[in-house]
């Protein structure tokens, strides 16, 4: 039995690794098509680009592993069934559950590993990926001059060159025209036959050294104020912040960048804040009744011998000033109550969102076990040329799982369903279907047969009762 278990597990390794490679490649292609154009335009080093891709591999692997388990299980059991190895194993007295048990154990171990990965490693890598992405998109695009094209990315300056020859981190330029407007009144135009342009990364300044040119300066409010100068050599330094990549070392973490322990601590803090907010609301409402209504009534009604307000409220009369003061106090109280309710709703929404992320760290890895339950019976059904039908059914379960997961998260964030049901509903639904298929595979019964026979028997029984 140990030899058979090792053989079946070995058959899963190849399809599993191949599936991870394909799924990861598809996700990376999607990432490249979305963001790579903007990343390349920033003039980043190759090491930074590779780091960006490596950090994003974390969440890709977290999703790719359960997908690969389904594909590997379906592929392996389909091949074993097509080669009649499943039939040979069963004829030796080994049932389907004994065949499935080592795969379930392996899937359970993989589930534990992925839970630890999602809790301990993934949050930190997600945090670093977000910081790097923010730093990249905050960086200015690379300054790139093109001949005979006006360059207007510099602040208060337009540059036109006729020829450009790049040499490492500098460039020789010819036929230079610079339109500079540092002052709202003064318009400065610089003409030069040649020059050298270089960027100083330490000071984040663009340094232009121009040769054999002239400067024209005119006051736009007084055109008679005009100056003209010639030069042999003229240097211009322009400050350009954020042209180099500045790495952030720390920052606030989002829900997907926190460990389970961090999120549980946040939930406790939110609940304590909700209790404090409820106490504040209770105090506001109590004070409104104690201070507003009795004070108004006592001011407008005569007291009886015992010092109580008369029972006959028809004798109470409020002046216009008292009525206006009462309305203002009620409006302020109502505004405080509305603000408190909004704060409570925000805390409750944050708690739901955190609980969704906590359950997600368990439910997605648990899909490895669920996909084994659904993939193995479907793989066996692929014999006799039914590979297309089985693949279509497995794709249906796969899409159903992810749609349920995404839809459940959206409903939980809106507080329409519980976070547990949102994240575990897909596992329960697909897992139940997998258990049913596994049962009918173990008992070698046809699921379609029972779906047809049971309703017929039920209708016959109803007719006999009538």
């Amino acid at each position: 039995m140990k030899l058979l278990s090792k053989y079946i597990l070995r058959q899963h390794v190849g399809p599993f690794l191949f599936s991870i490679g394909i799924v990861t490649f598809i996700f990376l292609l999607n990432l490249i098509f979305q963001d790579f154009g903007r990343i390349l335009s920033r003039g980043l080093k190759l090491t930074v680009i590779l780091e960006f891709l490596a950090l994003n591999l974390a969440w890709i692997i977290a999703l790719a592993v359960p997908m690969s388990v389904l594909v590997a299980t379906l592929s392996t059991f389909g091949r074993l069934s097509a080669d009649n190895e499943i039939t040979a194993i069963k004829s030796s007295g080994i049932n389907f559950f004994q065949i499935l048990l080592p795969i379930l154990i392996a899937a359970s171990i993989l589930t534990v590993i992925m839970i630890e990965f999602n809790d301990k490693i993934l949050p930190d890598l997600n945090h670093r990926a977000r910081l790097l992405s923010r730093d990249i998109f905050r960086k200015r695009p690379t300054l790139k001059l093109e001949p005979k094209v006006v360059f207007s990315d510099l602040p208060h300056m337009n540059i036109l060159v006729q020829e450009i020859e790049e040499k490492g981190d500098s460039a020789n330029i010819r036929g230079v025209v610079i339109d500079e407007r540092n002052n709202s009144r003064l318009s400065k135009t610089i003409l030069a036959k040649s020059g050298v342009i270089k960027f100083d990364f330490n000071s984040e300044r663009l340094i232009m050294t121009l040769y054999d040119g002239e400067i024209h300066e005119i006051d736009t409010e007084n055109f008679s104020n005009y100056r003209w100068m010639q030069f042999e050599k003229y240097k211009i330094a322009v400050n350009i912040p954020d042209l180099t990549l500045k790495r952030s070392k720390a920052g606030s973490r989002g829900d997907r960048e926190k460990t389970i322990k961090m999120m549980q601590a946040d939930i406790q803090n939110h609940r304590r804040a909700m209790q404090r907010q409820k106490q504040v609301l209770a105090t506001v409402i109590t004070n409104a009744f104690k201070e507003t209504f009795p004070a108004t009534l006592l001011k407008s009604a005569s007291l009886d011998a015992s010092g109580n307000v008369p029972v006959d409220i028809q004798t109470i009369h409020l002046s216009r000033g008292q009525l206006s003061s009462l309305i203002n106090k009620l409006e302020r109280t109502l505004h405080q109550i509305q603000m408190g309710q909004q704060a409570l709703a925000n805390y409750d929404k944050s708690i739901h969102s955190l609980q969704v992320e906590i359950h997600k760290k368990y439910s997605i890895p648990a899909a490895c076990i669920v996909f084994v339950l659904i993939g193995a019976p479907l793989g066996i059904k692929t014999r006799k040329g039914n590979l297309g039908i089985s693949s279509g059914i497995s794709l249906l379960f796969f899409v159903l799982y992810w749609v349920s997961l995404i839809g459940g998260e959206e409903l939980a964030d809106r507080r329409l369903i519980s976070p547990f049901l949102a994240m575990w509903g897909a596992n329960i639904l697909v897992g139940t279907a997998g258990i049913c298929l596994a049962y009918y595979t173990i008992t070698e019964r046809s699921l379609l047969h029972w779906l047809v026979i049971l309703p017929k028997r039920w209708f016959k029984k109803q007719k006999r009762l009538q």
Side-chain angles (χ1 to χ4, degrees), residues 340-363:
Q341 288 177 334
Q342 184 63 42
L344 289 175
N346 291 336
Y347 283 129
D348 191 48
K349 184 177 180 181
S350 297
I351 290 174
H352 269 68
S353 179
L354 290 168
Q355 288 176 337
V356 165
E357 291 301 323
I358 291 175
H359 285 294
K360 188 189 296 183
K361 290 183 183 295
Y362 293 102
S363 65

Side-chain angles (χ1 to χ4, degrees), residues 211-238:
Y211 302 97
D212 193 12
E214 54 189 35
I215 301 175
H216 300 265
E217 189 176 274
I218 188 170
D219 189 342
T220 57
E221 296 183 2
N222 184 9
F223 290 101
S224 61
N225 187 7
Y226 171 78
R227 292 195 304 168
W228 172 77
M229 294 177 290
Q230 283 186 316
F231 62 84
E232 293 183 359
K233 181 180 179 180
Y234 184 73
K235 183 176 286 188
I236 303 174
V238 183

Side-chain angles (χ1 to χ4, degrees), residues 95-137:
N95 60 34
F96 177 73
F97 178 75
Q98 291 175 298
I99 301 173
L100 190 62
L101 184 60
I103 309 302
L104 286 174
I105 294 174
S108 300
I109 295 173
L110 187 60
T111 297
V112 174
I113 294 173
M114 291 308 301
I115 289 174
E116 289 297 310
F117 175 82
N118 288 353
D119 183 35
K120 301 298 191 301
I121 300 175
L122 182 60
D124 186 56
L125 294 181
N126 280 344
H127 182 61
R128 291 171 56 189
R130 184 178 64 84
L131 291 180
L132 179 58
S133 179
R134 185 185 65 184
D135 296 338
I136 289 173
F137 295 128

Side-chain angles (χ1 to χ4, degrees), residues 45-241:
K45 295 181 180 179
L46 180 60
T47 54
V48 177
I49 297 175
L50 293 178
E51 181 184 358
F52 176 80
L53 293 177
L55 291 175
N56 280 278
L57 275 176
W59 65 265
I60 292 175
I61 291 175
L63 296 179
V65 168
M67 296 182 187
S68 302
V69 168
L70 175 61
V71 176
T73 305
L74 179 65
S75 174
T76 300
F77 278 89
R79 190 194 64 77
L80 292 175
S81 179
D83 294 343
N84 293 320
E85 293 185 55
I86 296 293
T87 304
I89 293 172
K90 287 182 178 180
S91 64
S92 63
I94 301 174
N95 60 34
F96 177 73
F97 178 75
Q98 291 175 298
I99 301 173
L100 190 62
L101 184 60
I103 309 302
L104 286 174
I105 294 174
S108 300
I109 295 173
L110 187 60
T111 297
V112 174
I113 294 173
M114 291 308 301
I115 289 174
E116 289 297 310
F117 175 82
N118 288 353
D119 183 35
K120 301 298 191 301
I121 300 175
L122 182 60
D124 186 56
L125 294 181
N126 280 344
H127 182 61
R128 291 171 56 189
R130 184 178 64 84
L131 291 180
L132 179 58
S133 179
R134 185 185 65 184
D135 296 338
I136 289 173
F137 295 128
R138 187 173 56 191
K139 179 184 178 298
R140 287 177 178 268
T142 305
L143 297 179
K144 185 172 180 61
L145 291 174
E146 296 183 12
K148 300 180 181 180
V149 176
V150 177
F151 182 79
S152 58
D153 289 345
L154 294 177
H156 312 295
M157 183 178 292
N158 295 325
I159 302 175
L160 175 65
V161 297
Q162 298 298 321
E163 299 178 9
I164 183 168
E165 181 183 357
E166 296 185 1
K167 290 186 176 181
D169 58 350
S170 63
N172 295 331
I173 51 179
R174 295 183 179 276
V176 186
V177 180
I178 299 176
D179 180 23
E180 186 177 347
R181 290 183 179 272
N182 290 329
N183 192 308
S184 60
R185 290 184 56 180
L186 295 179
S187 175
K188 182 189 291 186
T189 302
I190 304 172
L191 307 175
K193 291 184 178 180
S194 62
V196 178
I197 186 169
K198 185 177 181 179
F199 182 75
D200 186 357
F201 288 93
N202 294 326
S203 61
E204 291 193 336
R205 293 193 305 171
L206 183 69
I207 300 174
M208 291 182 287
T209 305
L210 305 178
Y211 302 97
D212 193 12
E214 54 189 35
I215 301 175
H216 300 265
E217 189 176 274
I218 188 170
D219 189 342
T220 57
E221 296 183 2
N222 184 9
F223 290 101
S224 61
N225 187 7
Y226 171 78
R227 292 195 304 168
W228 172 77
M229 294 177 290
Q230 283 186 316
F231 62 84
E232 293 183 359
K233 181 180 179 180
Y234 184 73
K235 183 176 286 188
I236 303 174
V238 183
N239 293 323
I240 310 176

Side-chain angles (χ1 to χ4, degrees), residues 367-388:
C368 296
I369 300 174
V370 172
F371 286 155
V372 167
L373 291 174
I374 198 73
L378 288 175
I380 292 177
K381 298 300 180 182
T382 58
R383 65 179 183 270
K384 297 182 180 179
N386 289 327
L387 179 60

Side-chain angles (χ1 to χ4, degrees), residues 326-336:
L326 176 61
I327 292 175
N328 290 334
K329 288 181 179 180
L330 290 176
E331 288 179 348
R332 286 195 299 269
T333 302
L334 181 60
H335 179 70
Q336 289 177 325

